[in-house]
């Protein structure tokens, strides 16, 4: 993790080299404008990944969850959903993962910036009921303090 204190009163935290290592390992080419599309939570019948690719899928999702929880909350929703699919990923899930990787390929140096502009917390909460094919729900929480994410 890289902590950049160049700007007075703030710190920029990123994981540039770790993200670049992931992109290099998975041989990512191309970029995407966003980490997911509107069909992120949709699933349809398609071919399951073979065991070798399923292991690679699980590994990539775990690595990206590590990044998302620390410095890249912009990919957290997509990775949270994909983490529910690691037990039996399919071709559609693989496409969604590739989109996240391409998004990171276009934004490898992004991170979070923490500053002391405001010291009262602000919370954002959202829920989507019955969003998954098994009618399970999906919730999200985002808390800021100052000028950056806390949770």
């Amino acid at each position: 993790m890289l902590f950049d204190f160049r700007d007075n009163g703030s710190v920029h935290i990123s994981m540039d080299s770790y993200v670049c290592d992931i992109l290099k390992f998975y041989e990512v080419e191309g970029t995407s404008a966003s980490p997911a599309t509107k069909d992120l939570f949709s699933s349809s019948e398609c071919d399951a990944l073979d065991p070798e690719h399923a292991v690679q899928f699980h590994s990539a999702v775990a690595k990206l969850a590590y990044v998302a929880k620390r410095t890249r909350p912009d990919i957290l929703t997509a990775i949270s959903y994909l983490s529910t699919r690691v037990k039996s990923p399919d071709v559609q899930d693989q496409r969604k993962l590739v989109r996240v990787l391409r998004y990171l390929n276009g934004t490898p140096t992004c991170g979070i910036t923490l500053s002391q502009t405001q010291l009262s917390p602000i919370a954002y909460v959202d829920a989507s009921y019955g969003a998954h094919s098994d009618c399970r729900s999906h919730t999200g929480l985002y808390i800021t303090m100052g000028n950056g994410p806390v949770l």
Side-chain angles (χ1 to χ4, degrees), residues 41-52:
F41 298 116
S42 67
S43 62
S44 59
E45 294 293 322
C46 60
D47 296 334
L49 294 180
D50 61 74
E52 180 182 339

Side-chain angles (χ1 to χ4, degrees), residues 9-99:
S10 69
V11 58
H12 181 76
I13 307 167
S14 64
M15 298 177 77
D16 304 359
S17 62
Y18 187 71
V19 169
C20 288
D21 289 347
I22 292 170
L23 297 172
K24 189 175 186 181
F25 181 80
Y26 292 105
E27 300 175 351
V28 178
E29 294 180 0
T31 62
S32 291
S34 66
T37 61
K38 64 181 179 178
D39 70 337
L40 175 66
F41 298 116
S42 67
S43 62
S44 59
E45 294 293 322
C46 60
D47 296 334
L49 294 180
D50 61 74
E52 180 182 339
H53 285 103
V55 168
Q56 287 180 347
F57 177 87
H58 191 160
S59 177
V61 169
K63 289 175 182 179
L64 294 177
Y66 180 78
V67 172
K69 290 296 285 181
R70 283 153 184 80
T71 63
R72 296 298 299 262
D74 51 336
I75 65 168
L76 192 54
T77 301
I79 295 303
S80 293
Y81 172 75
L82 292 174
S83 70
T84 68
R85 305 290 299 157
V86 295
K87 193 172 183 181
S88 55
D90 58 30
V91 174
Q92 189 179 33
D93 298 323
Q94 180 70 26
R95 282 195 300 264
K96 293 173 184 177
L97 175 62
V98 168
R99 182 171 181 99

